[in-house]
Amino acid sequence: MARIDSAVSSSQVYADGQGSTARYTKTLSGARSALFTLLIAISLVFTVELIVRWSWPDTVAYFTDPMRPAWTTVAVFFLAMLGLDALFGREHKAALLIAPLAVVPAFISQQKQVFLSDPLYPTDFLFGRQIMELMPVLVKDRPWTAVGVVAGLIAAIVVGALLLRFAWRNFPKLTRRERLMRIAFALPLLVAFWNIMDYNQFSWIRDRLRVIPIMWDQTENYRHNGFALAFAINLPMANVNAPAGYMADAIDRIPVKPLPAGTTHRGKPDVIVLMSESFWDPTRLPKVKLTPDPMPTIRELQGGNVFSPEFGGMTANVEFEALTGFSNAFLPYGSIPYQQYIRNPIPSLATFFRGEGYVSRAIHPFQGWFWNRTAVYKAFGFDMFRSEENMPAMQKRGIFASDESLTKEIIRQADEVEDPFFFFAVTLQGHGPYEANRYAKNTIKVEGDLPEADRQVLATYAQGVKEADDSLKMLMDWAKERDRETIIVLFGDHLPPLNTVYSSTGYMKGITAERKGPKDQMKAEHETPLVVWSNKTGPKKNIGTISPAFLSYQILKQAGYEHPYYTGFLGKVYDHYRVLDRYMLIRKNGKDVADWLRQPKVPASLRDYRFLQHDMMFGKRYSTERFFKSHAELYSAGL
């Protein structure tokens, strides 16, 4: 009996040993499989970056720089392959799917940079027709490259098919337990990572992972974050769907207001539009007193306010509305048209004025790459963009060109032009941060119960407001001496980033404005001063609060022009609405409509507004001849 018990015990020990060995072997096999997947991820990310950067040192630098997210990218690829392997039920099969999806766009991006000096964006696929139109040019310029690309694609398809067949037959199968473990590990991490990628919201975790959205400079965005992550950051903006009902007939049904026999009731006036960086009225802050008034000239002339769709930044979005008469409300949340959508000629005030025989010029005392302005202004039809690269050196206030220096440059350029001109200038001095030592002496006294740090920030900002006000007065004094009518329009692009000044004074609960809320709160957090002035007729008053998209209407009406879109169609919209924001409408009578885009039926005028905008930005441009004739004539002439 003892011998039997001993034999049973020995068998048990042997079986347990065999089980332990099997488990150890399986664990070791799983670890080897995961390690191999990691090596594939590293190799794939390295290959993608090498293709895009076309430089071995730059690619190595991307991986060795601890301040850049190369290894974060590797981790994302690793997790994605683990999860897809679990879905496919076989080891490493995901690599055969992910590799071409990563390498082919990387190659396209590299070629795009050769020809257009710009990386590949997800939104480029919205312009497939234009890409195909560009193909003959590319083939003609690099025929052997084109042959190589075609041969490579054919070879890749054949090899990919053979590899998939081989993988299905030979790659090890994953057990049900292994598949569940991989999904349980990879999926939550991938979802968590995706949730912190919204660049509109600050994320401490994303910051620690060195993923830094640099939306104002996409070249640097791709250089810093790498192709895969930068592409992913831009991905949400590619979801631009045609509005329901958009078609040629829908555009044809939009009525066009007949133009009067003459497009102007007087001589062609010169027009200068100043978008003043972060210009706002700081005397609106409670609990503080500023002495003397930092903006007496603007306060006397102010005819209304601009309701900015942004706060503290994203200047380009306000500029987009002011120059085109289109609205950010019809675009995906977080999108930046200057970076993602302006790929082709777009009608603007520049094309209108050029069609009327004007010199149309953009002026900004910073570099042309910022906000992609060089390319955008060309697409808008400006015949010249004077930027930091091609303007005389300017006096600085802090690290930025002063408003006074920019004003003198505007006057200098205007005095050199004989024809009527339209100048659109973007100032820079008001840009934050508002460091305490920017000005040698602050002439605006700040009184009130404020922390010293906030007092210094407000004093610096108020001094900048004073100098912007002085510069406008200088420009007006010059204009008053001119024989030709000169119209000057000034508005702020958004409220300044004053940080805790807002919360310390009680002006806002936090340090940034809310995106949605009651009308009075939204106006307080988004209104900037607006001046429309003529050296012949003085300031225009009682404009009220308007969206930047309606500035084109105000400018052309002040100049005495009529236009089928800017005064005709927009004029009809303006007859009913003053503010068109993503989350709120403000009617002519002052009543607001919250979350109007979510209502089952959108007013017909706004539906048509969206149709026209989509048509000219993304659609077939059915409306060009009827609504933007000067734009059509300008570009048909190749100007």
Side-chain angles (χ1 to χ4, degrees), residues 241-296:
N241 297 317
Y246 166 71
M247 61 183 70
D249 288 346
I251 297 295
D252 290 341
R253 284 194 296 269
I254 301 174
V256 178
K257 181 180 179 181
L259 293 181
T263 58
T264 179
H265 61 268
R266 56 183 185 269
K268 294 181 177 180
D270 292 328
V271 179
I272 301 173
V273 178
L274 295 167
M275 187 171 73
S276 187
E277 172 62 45
S278 298
F279 189 85
W280 176 67
D281 181 0
T283 65
R284 296 179 73 164
L285 291 168
K287 302 179 184 177
V288 294
K289 182 180 179 182
L290 303 179
T291 310
D293 183 358
M295 44 179 280

Short mmCIF file of all heavy atoms in Angstrom, two decimals, residues 241-296:
data_model
loop_
_atom_site.label_atom_id
_atom_site.label_comp_id
_atom_site.label_asym_id
_atom_site.label_seq_id
_atom_site.Cartn_x
_atom_site.Cartn_y
_atom_site.Cartn_z
N ASN A 241 -17.67 66.83 -43.51
CA ASN A 241 -18.69 66.24 -44.37
C ASN A 241 -19.49 67.32 -45.08
O ASN A 241 -19.72 68.40 -44.53
CB ASN A 241 -19.64 65.36 -43.54
CG ASN A 241 -18.92 64.18 -42.91
OD1 ASN A 241 -18.10 63.52 -43.54
ND2 ASN A 241 -19.23 63.92 -41.63
N ALA A 242 -19.92 67.02 -46.28
CA ALA A 242 -20.80 67.95 -46.99
C ALA A 242 -22.12 68.07 -46.22
O ALA A 242 -22.67 67.07 -45.76
CB ALA A 242 -21.07 67.44 -48.40
N PRO A 243 -22.62 69.28 -46.02
CA PRO A 243 -23.90 69.44 -45.32
C PRO A 243 -25.02 68.76 -46.09
O PRO A 243 -25.01 68.71 -47.32
CB PRO A 243 -24.08 70.95 -45.25
CG PRO A 243 -23.21 71.51 -46.31
CD PRO A 243 -22.06 70.57 -46.46
N ALA A 244 -25.96 68.21 -45.35
CA ALA A 244 -27.08 67.52 -45.98
C ALA A 244 -27.81 68.45 -46.95
O ALA A 244 -28.14 69.59 -46.61
CB ALA A 244 -28.05 67.03 -44.90
N GLY A 245 -28.00 67.97 -48.16
CA GLY A 245 -28.71 68.76 -49.17
C GLY A 245 -27.81 69.54 -50.09
O GLY A 245 -28.29 70.18 -51.04
N TYR A 246 -26.49 69.51 -49.85
CA TYR A 246 -25.58 70.26 -50.71
C TYR A 246 -25.52 69.62 -52.10
O TYR A 246 -25.25 68.43 -52.24
CB TYR A 246 -24.18 70.30 -50.10
CG TYR A 246 -23.13 70.75 -51.09
CD1 TYR A 246 -23.08 72.07 -51.50
CD2 TYR A 246 -22.20 69.85 -51.62
CE1 TYR A 246 -22.13 72.50 -52.42
CE2 TYR A 246 -21.24 70.26 -52.53
CZ TYR A 246 -21.21 71.60 -52.93
OH TYR A 246 -20.27 72.01 -53.84
N MET A 247 -25.79 70.41 -53.12
CA MET A 247 -25.71 69.97 -54.51
C MET A 247 -25.81 71.21 -55.39
O MET A 247 -26.05 72.32 -54.89
CB MET A 247 -26.82 68.98 -54.84
CG MET A 247 -28.23 69.55 -54.70
SD MET A 247 -29.53 68.33 -55.02
CE MET A 247 -29.35 67.28 -53.59
N ALA A 248 -25.64 71.03 -56.69
CA ALA A 248 -25.68 72.17 -57.61
C ALA A 248 -27.02 72.88 -57.54
O ALA A 248 -27.09 74.12 -57.54
CB ALA A 248 -25.40 71.69 -59.03
N ASP A 249 -28.11 72.12 -57.48
CA ASP A 249 -29.44 72.73 -57.44
C ASP A 249 -29.63 73.59 -56.20
O ASP A 249 -30.27 74.65 -56.25
CB ASP A 249 -30.52 71.65 -57.50
CG ASP A 249 -30.63 71.01 -58.88
OD1 ASP A 249 -30.06 71.58 -59.83
OD2 ASP A 249 -31.27 69.94 -58.99
N ALA A 250 -29.09 73.11 -55.07
CA ALA A 250 -29.23 73.86 -53.82
C ALA A 250 -28.51 75.20 -53.93
O ALA A 250 -29.01 76.23 -53.44
CB ALA A 250 -28.66 73.04 -52.67
N ILE A 251 -27.35 75.21 -54.56
CA ILE A 251 -26.63 76.47 -54.75
C ILE A 251 -27.38 77.38 -55.72
O ILE A 251 -27.50 78.60 -55.51
CB ILE A 251 -25.20 76.19 -55.28
CG1 ILE A 251 -24.39 75.37 -54.25
CG2 ILE A 251 -24.49 77.49 -55.62
CD1 ILE A 251 -24.12 76.07 -52.96
N ASP A 252 -27.92 76.79 -56.78
CA ASP A 252 -28.64 77.59 -57.79
C ASP A 252 -29.89 78.24 -57.21
O ASP A 252 -30.33 79.30 -57.69
CB ASP A 252 -29.03 76.71 -58.98
CG ASP A 252 -27.82 76.28 -59.80
OD1 ASP A 252 -26.77 76.93 -59.68
OD2 ASP A 252 -27.93 75.29 -60.54
N ARG A 253 -30.46 77.61 -56.18
CA ARG A 253 -31.68 78.16 -55.59
C ARG A 253 -31.42 79.33 -54.65
O ARG A 253 -32.36 80.02 -54.26
CB ARG A 253 -32.44 77.05 -54.84
CG ARG A 253 -33.19 76.08 -55.75
CD ARG A 253 -34.18 75.24 -54.96
NE ARG A 253 -33.53 74.38 -53.99
CZ ARG A 253 -33.14 73.12 -54.22
NH1 ARG A 253 -33.35 72.58 -55.41
NH2 ARG A 253 -32.57 72.40 -53.27
N ILE A 254 -30.16 79.55 -54.29
CA ILE A 254 -29.85 80.69 -53.42
C ILE A 254 -29.95 81.97 -54.24
O ILE A 254 -29.25 82.13 -55.23
CB ILE A 254 -28.43 80.56 -52.82
CG1 ILE A 254 -28.31 79.26 -52.01
CG2 ILE A 254 -28.12 81.76 -51.93
CD1 ILE A 254 -26.90 78.97 -51.51
N PRO A 255 -30.82 82.88 -53.88
CA PRO A 255 -31.01 84.09 -54.70
C PRO A 255 -29.80 85.01 -54.63
O PRO A 255 -29.12 85.09 -53.61
CB PRO A 255 -32.24 84.75 -54.08
CG PRO A 255 -32.29 84.24 -52.67
CD PRO A 255 -31.71 82.85 -52.71
N VAL A 256 -29.52 85.68 -55.73
CA VAL A 256 -28.44 86.66 -55.81
C VAL A 256 -29.04 88.04 -55.95
O VAL A 256 -29.87 88.27 -56.84
CB VAL A 256 -27.50 86.37 -57.00
CG1 VAL A 256 -26.41 87.42 -57.09
CG2 VAL A 256 -26.89 84.98 -56.86
N LYS A 257 -28.62 88.94 -55.10
CA LYS A 257 -29.13 90.31 -55.14
C LYS A 257 -28.53 91.05 -56.34
O LYS A 257 -27.31 91.09 -56.49
CB LYS A 257 -28.76 91.03 -53.85
CG LYS A 257 -29.27 92.46 -53.76
CD LYS A 257 -28.84 93.09 -52.44
CE LYS A 257 -29.32 94.54 -52.36
NZ LYS A 257 -28.87 95.17 -51.08
N PRO A 258 -29.35 91.60 -57.22
CA PRO A 258 -28.82 92.34 -58.38
C PRO A 258 -27.98 93.53 -57.94
O PRO A 258 -28.34 94.25 -57.00
CB PRO A 258 -30.07 92.80 -59.12
CG PRO A 258 -31.18 91.95 -58.58
CD PRO A 258 -30.82 91.60 -57.18
N LEU A 259 -26.86 93.74 -58.58
CA LEU A 259 -25.99 94.86 -58.24
C LEU A 259 -26.50 96.12 -58.91
O LEU A 259 -27.02 96.08 -60.03
CB LEU A 259 -24.56 94.59 -58.69
CG LEU A 259 -23.83 93.45 -57.96
CD1 LEU A 259 -22.41 93.32 -58.50
CD2 LEU A 259 -23.78 93.71 -56.46
N PRO A 260 -26.32 97.28 -58.28
CA PRO A 260 -26.70 98.54 -58.92
C PRO A 260 -25.79 98.82 -60.12
O PRO A 260 -24.77 98.16 -60.30
CB PRO A 260 -26.49 99.57 -57.80
CG PRO A 260 -25.53 98.92 -56.85
CD PRO A 260 -25.81 97.46 -56.92
N ALA A 261 -26.17 99.77 -60.93
CA ALA A 261 -25.42 100.07 -62.15
C ALA A 261 -23.97 100.38 -61.85
O ALA A 261 -23.06 99.95 -62.56
CB ALA A 261 -26.08 101.22 -62.90
N GLY A 262 -23.70 101.14 -60.81
CA GLY A 262 -22.32 101.43 -60.40
C GLY A 262 -22.01 100.71 -59.11
O GLY A 262 -22.87 100.62 -58.23
N THR A 263 -20.80 100.19 -58.98
CA THR A 263 -20.47 99.45 -57.76
C THR A 263 -20.06 100.36 -56.63
O THR A 263 -19.82 99.91 -55.53
CB THR A 263 -19.35 98.43 -58.03
OG1 THR A 263 -18.20 99.14 -58.52
CG2 THR A 263 -19.78 97.39 -59.03
N THR A 264 -19.91 101.66 -56.88
CA THR A 264 -19.54 102.58 -55.81
C THR A 264 -20.21 103.92 -56.06
O THR A 264 -20.42 104.32 -57.20
CB THR A 264 -18.02 102.75 -55.71
OG1 THR A 264 -17.72 103.68 -54.66
CG2 THR A 264 -17.42 103.28 -57.01
N HIS A 265 -20.52 104.64 -54.98
CA HIS A 265 -21.16 105.93 -55.14
C HIS A 265 -20.16 107.07 -55.05
O HIS A 265 -20.52 108.23 -55.05
CB HIS A 265 -22.24 106.10 -54.06
CG HIS A 265 -21.72 106.07 -52.66
ND1 HIS A 265 -21.65 104.91 -51.92
CD2 HIS A 265 -21.24 107.05 -51.86
CE1 HIS A 265 -21.16 105.18 -50.71
NE2 HIS A 265 -20.90 106.47 -50.66
N ARG A 266 -18.89 106.76 -54.94
CA ARG A 266 -17.87 107.80 -54.90
C ARG A 266 -16.54 107.21 -55.40
O ARG A 266 -16.50 106.07 -55.81
CB ARG A 266 -17.71 108.33 -53.47
CG ARG A 266 -17.38 107.28 -52.42
CD ARG A 266 -17.34 107.96 -51.04
NE ARG A 266 -16.92 107.04 -49.99
CZ ARG A 266 -17.73 106.31 -49.27
NH1 ARG A 266 -19.04 106.35 -49.52
NH2 ARG A 266 -17.29 105.53 -48.30
N GLY A 267 -15.48 108.01 -55.36
CA GLY A 267 -14.18 107.52 -55.79
C GLY A 267 -13.70 106.37 -54.94
O GLY A 267 -14.16 106.17 -53.81
N LYS A 268 -12.79 105.60 -55.49
CA LYS A 268 -12.32 104.40 -54.78
C LYS A 268 -11.47 104.79 -53.56
O LYS A 268 -10.38 105.35 -53.71
CB LYS A 268 -11.49 103.54 -55.73
CG LYS A 268 -12.30 102.94 -56.88
CD LYS A 268 -11.44 102.07 -57.77
CE LYS A 268 -12.30 101.45 -58.87
NZ LYS A 268 -11.50 100.58 -59.76
N PRO A 269 -11.95 104.49 -52.36
CA PRO A 269 -11.18 104.86 -51.17
C PRO A 269 -10.08 103.84 -50.88
O PRO A 269 -10.19 102.66 -51.22
CB PRO A 269 -12.23 104.83 -50.06
CG PRO A 269 -13.22 103.79 -50.51
CD PRO A 269 -13.25 103.90 -52.02
N ASP A 270 -8.98 104.30 -50.28
CA ASP A 270 -7.99 103.37 -49.75
C ASP A 270 -8.53 102.76 -48.46
O ASP A 270 -9.25 103.41 -47.70
CB ASP A 270 -6.68 104.12 -49.45
CG ASP A 270 -6.00 104.61 -50.71
OD1 ASP A 270 -6.13 103.93 -51.74
OD2 ASP A 270 -5.35 105.67 -50.66
N VAL A 271 -8.17 101.48 -48.22
CA VAL A 271 -8.69 100.76 -47.06
C VAL A 271 -7.53 100.12 -46.30
O VAL A 271 -6.73 99.39 -46.89
CB VAL A 271 -9.70 99.67 -47.47
CG1 VAL A 271 -10.20 98.91 -46.25
CG2 VAL A 271 -10.87 100.28 -48.24
N ILE A 272 -7.44 100.42 -45.03
CA ILE A 272 -6.43 99.82 -44.16
C ILE A 272 -7.15 99.10 -43.02
O ILE A 272 -7.88 99.73 -42.26
CB ILE A 272 -5.47 100.88 -43.57
CG1 ILE A 272 -4.76 101.63 -44.69
CG2 ILE A 272 -4.45 100.23 -42.64
CD1 ILE A 272 -3.93 102.81 -44.19
N VAL A 273 -6.97 97.80 -42.94
CA VAL A 273 -7.57 97.00 -41.87
C VAL A 273 -6.46 96.55 -40.93
O VAL A 273 -5.48 95.93 -41.37
CB VAL A 273 -8.32 95.78 -42.42
CG1 VAL A 273 -8.90 94.95 -41.28
CG2 VAL A 273 -9.44 96.23 -43.37
N LEU A 274 -6.60 96.89 -39.67
CA LEU A 274 -5.62 96.52 -38.64
C LEU A 274 -6.23 95.49 -37.70
O LEU A 274 -7.22 95.79 -37.01
CB LEU A 274 -5.20 97.76 -37.84
CG LEU A 274 -4.45 98.87 -38.57
CD1 LEU A 274 -4.41 100.12 -37.71
CD2 LEU A 274 -3.04 98.42 -38.92
N MET A 275 -5.70 94.30 -37.70
CA MET A 275 -6.07 93.32 -36.68
C MET A 275 -5.02 93.43 -35.57
O MET A 275 -3.87 93.03 -35.75
CB MET A 275 -6.13 91.91 -37.25
CG MET A 275 -6.70 90.92 -36.24
SD MET A 275 -7.03 89.28 -36.95
CE MET A 275 -5.36 88.66 -37.12
N SER A 276 -5.41 94.00 -34.47
CA SER A 276 -4.48 94.32 -33.39
C SER A 276 -4.37 93.13 -32.43
O SER A 276 -5.36 92.70 -31.83
CB SER A 276 -4.96 95.56 -32.64
OG SER A 276 -4.01 95.98 -31.70
N GLU A 277 -3.15 92.63 -32.29
CA GLU A 277 -2.89 91.44 -31.49
C GLU A 277 -3.35 91.62 -30.04
O GLU A 277 -2.90 92.53 -29.34
CB GLU A 277 -1.40 91.09 -31.53
CG GLU A 277 -0.97 89.99 -30.59
CD GLU A 277 -1.63 88.65 -30.89
OE1 GLU A 277 -1.70 88.28 -32.08
OE2 GLU A 277 -2.09 87.99 -29.95
N SER A 278 -4.26 90.75 -29.62
CA SER A 278 -4.74 90.68 -28.23
C SER A 278 -5.27 92.02 -27.71
O SER A 278 -5.21 92.29 -26.51
CB SER A 278 -3.62 90.19 -27.30
OG SER A 278 -3.22 88.89 -27.64
N PHE A 279 -5.80 92.86 -28.62
CA PHE A 279 -6.28 94.17 -28.18
C PHE A 279 -7.65 94.05 -27.54
O PHE A 279 -8.59 93.50 -28.13
CB PHE A 279 -6.34 95.15 -29.36
CG PHE A 279 -6.61 96.55 -28.91
CD1 PHE A 279 -5.58 97.38 -28.51
CD2 PHE A 279 -7.91 97.04 -28.85
CE1 PHE A 279 -5.83 98.67 -28.07
CE2 PHE A 279 -8.18 98.32 -28.40
CZ PHE A 279 -7.14 99.14 -28.01
N TRP A 280 -7.75 94.62 -26.34
CA TRP A 280 -8.98 94.53 -25.54
C TRP A 280 -9.00 95.73 -24.60
O TRP A 280 -7.99 96.40 -24.40
CB TRP A 280 -8.97 93.20 -24.77
CG TRP A 280 -10.11 92.98 -23.83
CD1 TRP A 280 -11.42 92.79 -24.14
CD2 TRP A 280 -10.03 92.88 -22.40
NE1 TRP A 280 -12.17 92.58 -23.01
CE2 TRP A 280 -11.35 92.63 -21.93
CE3 TRP A 280 -9.00 92.97 -21.48
CZ2 TRP A 280 -11.63 92.48 -20.57
CZ3 TRP A 280 -9.27 92.83 -20.13
CH2 TRP A 280 -10.58 92.58 -19.69
N ASP A 281 -10.16 95.99 -24.05
CA ASP A 281 -10.32 97.13 -23.13
C ASP A 281 -10.10 96.66 -21.70
O ASP A 281 -10.99 96.06 -21.09
CB ASP A 281 -11.73 97.71 -23.30
CG ASP A 281 -11.96 98.92 -22.40
OD1 ASP A 281 -11.03 99.29 -21.65
OD2 ASP A 281 -13.08 99.47 -22.43
N PRO A 282 -8.92 96.92 -21.11
CA PRO A 282 -8.65 96.43 -19.76
C PRO A 282 -9.42 97.16 -18.67
O PRO A 282 -9.46 96.70 -17.52
CB PRO A 282 -7.13 96.64 -19.59
CG PRO A 282 -6.82 97.77 -20.51
CD PRO A 282 -7.76 97.64 -21.67
N THR A 283 -10.05 98.29 -19.01
CA THR A 283 -10.84 98.99 -17.99
C THR A 283 -12.13 98.24 -17.68
O THR A 283 -12.84 98.61 -16.74
CB THR A 283 -11.18 100.43 -18.44
OG1 THR A 283 -12.04 100.39 -19.59
CG2 THR A 283 -9.92 101.21 -18.79
N ARG A 284 -12.43 97.19 -18.44
CA ARG A 284 -13.61 96.37 -18.13
C ARG A 284 -13.37 95.49 -16.90
O ARG A 284 -14.33 94.94 -16.36
CB ARG A 284 -13.96 95.50 -19.34
CG ARG A 284 -14.37 96.30 -20.57
CD ARG A 284 -14.70 95.43 -21.76
NE ARG A 284 -15.98 94.75 -21.61
CZ ARG A 284 -16.65 94.18 -22.60
NH1 ARG A 284 -16.16 94.22 -23.84
NH2 ARG A 284 -17.80 93.58 -22.40
N LEU A 285 -12.13 95.36 -16.48
CA LEU A 285 -11.83 94.55 -15.29
C LEU A 285 -12.39 95.24 -14.05
O LEU A 285 -12.15 96.43 -13.83
CB LEU A 285 -10.32 94.38 -15.13
CG LEU A 285 -9.61 93.51 -16.16
CD1 LEU A 285 -8.10 93.66 -16.05
CD2 LEU A 285 -10.00 92.03 -15.97
N PRO A 286 -13.13 94.50 -13.21
CA PRO A 286 -13.62 95.09 -11.96
C PRO A 286 -12.51 95.16 -10.92
O PRO A 286 -11.46 94.52 -11.06
CB PRO A 286 -14.72 94.12 -11.53
CG PRO A 286 -14.31 92.80 -12.11
CD PRO A 286 -13.60 93.11 -13.39
N LYS A 287 -12.72 95.96 -9.90
CA LYS A 287 -11.83 96.05 -8.73
C LYS A 287 -10.48 96.70 -9.03
O LYS A 287 -9.60 96.70 -8.17
CB LYS A 287 -11.60 94.67 -8.11
CG LYS A 287 -12.86 93.94 -7.68
CD LYS A 287 -12.51 92.58 -7.09
CE LYS A 287 -13.77 91.81 -6.74
NZ LYS A 287 -13.46 90.45 -6.23
N VAL A 288 -10.29 97.19 -10.25
CA VAL A 288 -9.04 97.88 -10.55
C VAL A 288 -9.36 99.18 -11.28
O VAL A 288 -10.41 99.33 -11.92
CB VAL A 288 -8.09 97.03 -11.42
CG1 VAL A 288 -7.60 95.80 -10.66
CG2 VAL A 288 -8.74 96.65 -12.73
N LYS A 289 -8.42 100.14 -11.18
CA LYS A 289 -8.56 101.42 -11.88
C LYS A 289 -7.26 101.69 -12.63
O LYS A 289 -6.17 101.57 -12.07
CB LYS A 289 -8.84 102.54 -10.88
CG LYS A 289 -9.04 103.90 -11.55
CD LYS A 289 -9.33 104.99 -10.51
CE LYS A 289 -9.51 106.34 -11.20
NZ LYS A 289 -9.75 107.42 -10.21
N LEU A 290 -7.39 102.05 -13.90
CA LEU A 290 -6.23 102.35 -14.72
C LEU A 290 -6.21 103.85 -14.99
O LEU A 290 -7.20 104.42 -15.47
CB LEU A 290 -6.29 101.59 -16.04
CG LEU A 290 -6.38 100.07 -15.94
CD1 LEU A 290 -6.46 99.44 -17.33
CD2 LEU A 290 -5.20 99.50 -15.17
N THR A 291 -5.09 104.49 -14.69
CA THR A 291 -4.97 105.94 -14.83
C THR A 291 -3.67 106.28 -15.56
O THR A 291 -2.61 105.81 -15.14
CB THR A 291 -4.96 106.63 -13.45
OG1 THR A 291 -6.06 106.16 -12.67
CG2 THR A 291 -5.05 108.13 -13.62
N PRO A 292 -3.73 107.08 -16.62
CA PRO A 292 -4.93 107.57 -17.31
C PRO A 292 -5.55 106.48 -18.17
O PRO A 292 -5.00 105.37 -18.25
CB PRO A 292 -4.38 108.71 -18.17
CG PRO A 292 -2.98 108.28 -18.49
CD PRO A 292 -2.49 107.58 -17.25
N ASP A 293 -6.64 106.80 -18.83
CA ASP A 293 -7.29 105.85 -19.73
C ASP A 293 -6.28 105.41 -20.79
O ASP A 293 -5.74 106.24 -21.52
CB ASP A 293 -8.49 106.52 -20.39
CG ASP A 293 -9.28 105.58 -21.29
OD1 ASP A 293 -8.88 104.40 -21.44
OD2 ASP A 293 -10.30 106.02 -21.85
N PRO A 294 -6.01 104.11 -20.91
CA PRO A 294 -5.00 103.66 -21.88
C PRO A 294 -5.44 103.73 -23.34
O PRO A 294 -4.61 103.60 -24.23
CB PRO A 294 -4.73 102.21 -21.46
CG PRO A 294 -5.99 101.77 -20.79
CD PRO A 294 -6.54 103.00 -20.10
N MET A 295 -6.73 103.93 -23.60
CA MET A 295 -7.20 103.90 -25.00
C MET A 295 -8.21 105.01 -25.27
O MET A 295 -9.34 104.76 -25.71
CB MET A 295 -7.79 102.53 -25.34
CG MET A 295 -8.73 101.94 -24.28
SD MET A 295 -9.41 100.34 -24.77
CE MET A 295 -10.71 100.83 -25.88
N PRO A 296 -7.84 106.27 -25.06
CA PRO A 296 -8.81 107.36 -25.26
C PRO A 296 -9.25 107.52 -26.72
O PRO A 296 -10.41 107.83 -26.99
CB PRO A 296 -8.04 108.60 -24.78
CG PRO A 296 -6.59 108.22 -24.91
CD PRO A 296 -6.53 106.76 -24.61
#
